Amino acid sequence: MTLQIPRWSPDVYAKAWRFASWFHAGQKYGGVTQGEQIEYINHIGSVAMEILAVAQLEPDFNADFAVQMALLHDTLEDTRATFADLETEFGIAVANGVQALTKSTQLPDKRAQMLDSLARIRLEPREVWMVKLADRITNLYHPPFYWNAEKIAAYKLEALLILEQLGSASTGLAHRLREKIRNYGENRISG
Ligand code: NI
């Protein structure tokens, strides 16, 4: 039996990391404790790390594509980067994947936006599905300090929907997401 470990290129990673850190520069999000602000690029690095952590377990896996998707996944939704920028720098497959991971703000509410994005993700290669799973895993590390129990419960429900819709893309990530959902909001670190 040949052991096939997916290869990924540090040069591909570095180029996408540079693009993401340039466009997300200055963005921060609320941390676990009162007043804590975390650089946005921390989230981006965590999503890429979650992808690489399962890469060796995934058959027929395009690791370079997945890494680019992970590093660029929020650039259309949260920065001034455009679809054309992504297509020029990384090609049409990456641009289409990031587009699918981007919520359409023309839809009336967050639930409709999520369902629409999930439906579009399901038309993309499974590496795109995996990045959505990895994204939610990292978002479930700890609730921000200012979230109440109701908000936490709603976020868990939404995560279950993501797991149900996309979990078949990766046994490893589905398992990890299920665990994160189960433990989310338990043992909160108080500020
Ligand atoms: Ni994200």
Side-chain angles (χ1 to χ4, degrees):
M1 195 178 92
T2 332
L3 183 62
Q4 290 206 324
I5 298 174
R7 299 298 179 106
W8 55 278
S9 157
D11 291 329
V12 169
Y13 190 115
K15 183 181 174 185
W17 177 260
R18 181 167 177 267
F19 184 97
S21 55
W22 171 267
F23 278 101
H24 286 292
Q27 296 178 347
K28 295 176 200 297
Y29 56 94
V32 189
T33 55
Q34 180 100 38
E36 184 184 358
Q37 291 287 304
I38 300 172
E39 298 289 335
Y40 202 84
I41 201 70
N42 189 295
H43 165 65
I44 302 301
S46 293
V47 175
M49 179 273 288
E50 292 286 348
I51 287 293
L52 291 175
V54 296
Q56 294 189 19
L57 309 170
E58 298 294 335
D60 303 320
F61 179 63
N62 185 338
D64 278 337
F65 179 59
V67 157
Q68 289 175 92
M69 290 305 313
L71 294 171
L72 301 168
H73 79 274
D74 278 332
T75 54
L76 290 184
E77 188 161 297
D78 294 333
T79 82
R80 65 186 187 288
T82 64
F83 185 92
D85 292 334
L86 287 173
E87 187 183 359
T88 304
E89 293 294 324
F90 304 101
I92 189 70
V94 169
N96 281 336
V98 176
Q99 181 76 68
L101 290 159
T102 303
K103 293 189 198 84
S104 167
T105 48
Q106 283 160 356
L107 292 166
D109 58 67
K110 291 218 178 261
R111 168 117 185 134
Q113 290 174 12
M114 176 59 75
L115 289 172
D116 165 71
S117 177
L118 288 173
R120 287 184 290 114
I121 289 167
R122 285 167 60 93
L123 301 174
E124 295 293 320
R126 82 180 172 106
E127 287 83 356
V128 180
W129 304 30
M130 288 173 63
V131 166
K132 185 67 190 178
L133 295 171
D135 181 42
R136 185 51 61 108
I137 289 167
T138 71
N139 287 338
L140 291 173
Y141 285 170
H142 300 287
F145 66 88
Y146 49 87
W147 279 21
N148 61 22
E150 194 186 343
K151 176 91 178 155
I152 288 171
Y155 204 61
K156 278 174 108 149
L157 266 185
E158 195 184 72
L160 276 172
L161 176 68
I162 293 169
L163 178 62
E164 182 191 293
Q165 293 279 306
L166 306 177
S168 64
S170 161
T171 313
L173 288 173
H175 175 73
R176 199 160 152 71
L177 179 54
R178 203 171 294 116
E179 252 181 17
K180 289 290 166 203
I181 294 169
R182 190 185 312 124
N183 298 327
Y184 190 56
E186 305 295 325
N187 307 317
R188 287 191 81 176
I189 302 165
S190 60

